[in-house]
């Protein structure tokens, strides 16, 4: 790492830095910071602004997403952009020692084989780093929102996914405080850690789904099979109500029809605009804010958002561990809709998860990647390991 410090820099050999990489559908971001800057070596989420002695991370970003090919996410193209950016940030930070790296990527679980095969050696060769975390973007979103505390994170934008976790050290608290949630045992939406935490611990009389800790996932199945309550789901429901009003069918909304025509033009032209588009989910989601704007005066729009809130709360309920310390964090652009959606979401969560605190996310997925890297550098990573969701090299 000595060659990362330029002439005239003032390196501190005693300071460890960490590198975070966030690869998502909207681009790639890289950050470098001191390992002790975020407070994420323990349970806390990112807290750069609350650390008076540490500066915020140095960052680089590109609006071009990672390339996806026959082998999934293409490691070579990602490294071609990330390595030069990381070197420059490390030089700017005066970093001599890189303690750990976390790469969080959308599609890591299903499209990450090339990343898992090539990134460890490439990052070791470039920076001498021997501690690497490869994470799904849902995991870095969780870490950015809650740090290493137990609970659930609902990430909602165009789509929607909920992820719950019981970090190491919390499994023994599952002995019956809340009892079973009624969601049953293992299902097709589970993401269970293998050999991750507290194996052999039994949560008798409590939430037995979490007897060995791990992760649980709900939804995130795309706009055709799920993402219920997400932006595309809300937008599609709003457009359907508009078309019903155009036809004179029950369940229609004239205010939403007016917004459809203002945004897309004549209603009869909407199918021709929508169906050929490869980005149909994003087009549908673009109408979700119009549903929010109409909800105050239109009962149909209000009902759509209440239905969305039920779906969001159902996803959170399915993954949230029943601990007194559990929290539910809401993250993603959809929640910027504000009160028309947040008010019914909070009402639904209060009814389904009484006693569980609902909070705004403390940070975003890049903050989460930095949190994981800082905890890994300090030997304090307590989030569950999982071959697809969070692997440590």
């Amino acid at each position: 790492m000595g060659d990362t410090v330029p002439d005239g820099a003032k390196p501190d050999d005693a300071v460890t830095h960490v590198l975070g990489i966030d690869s998502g559908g909207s681009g790639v971001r890289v950050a470098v910071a001191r390992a002790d800057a975020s407070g994420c070596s323990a349970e806390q989420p990112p807290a750069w602004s609350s650390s008076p002695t540490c500066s915020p991370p140095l960052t680089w970003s590109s609006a071009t997403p990672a390339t996806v090919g026959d082998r999934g996410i293409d490691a070579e193209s990602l490294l071609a952009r990330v390595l030069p950016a990381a070197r420059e940030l490390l030089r700017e930070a005066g970093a001599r020692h890189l303690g750990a790296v976390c790469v969080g990527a959308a599609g890591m679980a299903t499209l990450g084989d090339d990343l898992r095969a090539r990134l460890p050696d490439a990052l070791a060769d470039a920076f001498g780093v021997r501690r690497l975390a490869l994470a799904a973007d849902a995991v870095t979103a969780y870490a950015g929102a809650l740090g290493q505390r137990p609970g659930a994170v609902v990430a909602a934008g165009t789509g929607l996914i909920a992820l719950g976790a019981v970090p190491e050290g919390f499994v023994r608290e599952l002995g019956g405080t809340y009892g079973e949630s009624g969601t049953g045992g293992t299902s097709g939406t589970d993401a269970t850690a293998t050999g991750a935490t507290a194996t052999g611990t039994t949560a008798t009389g409590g939430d037995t789904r979490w007897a060995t800790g791990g992760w649980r996932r709900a939804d995130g199945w795309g706009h055709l099979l799920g993402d219920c309550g997400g932006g595309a789901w809300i937008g599609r429901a709003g457009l359907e109500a508009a078309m019903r009003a155009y036809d004179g069918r029950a369940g229609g909304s004239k205010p939403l029809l007016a917004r459809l025509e203002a945004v897309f033009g004549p209603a009869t032209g909407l199918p021709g605009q929508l169906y050929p588009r490869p980005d149909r989910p994003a087009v549908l989601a673009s109408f979700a804010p119009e549903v929010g704007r109409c909800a105050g005066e239109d009962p149909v729009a209000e009902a759509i958002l209440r239905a969305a809130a039920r779906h969001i709360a159902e996803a959170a309920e399915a993954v949230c561990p029943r601990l007194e310390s559990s929290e539910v964090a809401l993250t993603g652009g959809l929640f910027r809709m504000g009160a028309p959606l947040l008010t019914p979401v909070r009402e639904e969560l209060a009814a389904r998860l009484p006693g569980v605190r609902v909070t705004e996310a403390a940070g975003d997925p890049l903050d989460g990647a930095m949190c994981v890297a800082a905890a890994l550098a300090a030997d304090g990573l307590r989030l569950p390991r999982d071959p697809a969701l969070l692997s440590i090299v």
Side-chain angles (χ1 to χ4, degrees):
M1 285 298 298
D3 62 349
T4 65
V5 181
D7 294 338
K10 297 179 179 180
D12 185 344
D13 290 340
V15 174
T16 296
H17 286 73
V18 292
L19 172 67
I21 299 169
D22 172 49
S23 173
S26 59
V28 178
R29 298 182 296 163
V30 180
V32 168
R34 288 175 48 145
D36 59 356
S38 76
C40 274
S41 59
E43 293 85 21
Q44 298 303 314
W48 313 104
S49 61
S50 65
S51 179
T53 61
C54 298
S55 301
L58 301 175
T59 61
W60 170 92
S61 64
S62 166
T64 304
T67 302
V68 179
D70 293 340
R71 297 189 60 190
I73 303 168
D74 185 67
E76 183 176 359
S77 65
L78 181 64
L79 288 166
R81 286 189 290 155
V82 163
L83 292 183
R87 288 192 183 99
E88 182 59 32
L89 293 176
L90 289 164
R91 289 191 180 96
E92 188 176 345
R96 284 268 186 205
H97 177 58
L98 187 61
V101 178
C102 175
V103 180
M108 179 70 79
T110 55
L111 300 172
D113 287 348
D114 197 37
L115 299 184
R116 283 185 282 268
R118 301 188 60 181
L119 260 56
D121 288 343
L123 291 169
D125 291 345
F127 304 120
V129 66
R130 300 298 175 185
R131 294 185 178 186
L132 169 64
L134 298 175
D137 61 335
V139 170
T140 51
Y142 184 101
L146 292 179
Q148 299 197 88
R149 302 199 303 274
V153 172
V154 179
T158 297
L160 184 141
I161 188 171
L163 199 66
V166 177
E168 294 176 5
F170 288 94
V171 176
R172 296 183 187 278
E173 298 180 25
L174 291 164
T177 302
Y178 285 95
E180 284 289 348
S181 69
T183 56
T186 304
S187 71
T189 60
D190 288 326
T192 304
T194 55
T197 60
T199 55
T201 300
T202 301
T204 56
D207 194 344
T208 55
R209 301 170 303 163
W210 295 99
T212 57
W215 297 97
R216 285 180 65 88
R217 163 186 169 169
D219 215 335
W221 304 123
H223 75 291
L224 294 178
L225 299 177
D227 286 356
C228 299
W233 187 96
I234 292 172
R236 195 214 63 81
L239 291 170
E240 179 190 345
M243 299 306 292
R244 284 178 172 272
Y246 179 83
D247 292 342
R249 290 179 288 151
S253 165
K254 290 184 178 180
L256 288 174
L257 175 59
R259 296 311 307 152
L260 181 158
E261 292 173 338
V263 174
F264 295 106
T268 53
L270 180 60
Q273 291 188 53
L274 179 61
Y275 294 143
R277 294 281 292 266
D279 59 343
R280 285 187 298 274
V283 176
L284 293 171
S286 72
F287 196 70
E290 304 298 338
V291 179
R293 294 184 184 101
C294 292
E297 300 179 355
D298 177 30
V300 174
E302 180 185 14
I304 290 171
L305 294 185
R306 287 202 169 274
R310 285 193 296 272
H311 286 304
I312 291 167
E314 286 169 357
E317 182 187 25
V319 303
C320 186
R322 303 307 192 264
L323 291 171
E324 290 185 356
S325 55
S326 286
E327 301 173 58
V328 173
L330 307 175
T331 187
L334 183 65
F335 294 114
R336 289 198 289 268
M337 188 183 296
L341 179 62
L342 285 174
T343 297
V345 166
R346 291 180 180 275
E347 290 172 354
E348 289 286 339
L349 288 170
R352 293 176 180 274
L353 294 169
V356 175
R357 189 166 74 94
V358 180
T359 182
E360 293 185 7
D364 65 14
L366 182 59
D367 294 314
M370 297 297 285
C371 172
V372 171
L376 186 60
D379 290 323
L381 184 62
R382 297 165 64 180
L383 294 175
R385 276 62 159 179
D386 180 273
L389 295 174
L390 178 60
S391 58
I392 307 301
V393 180

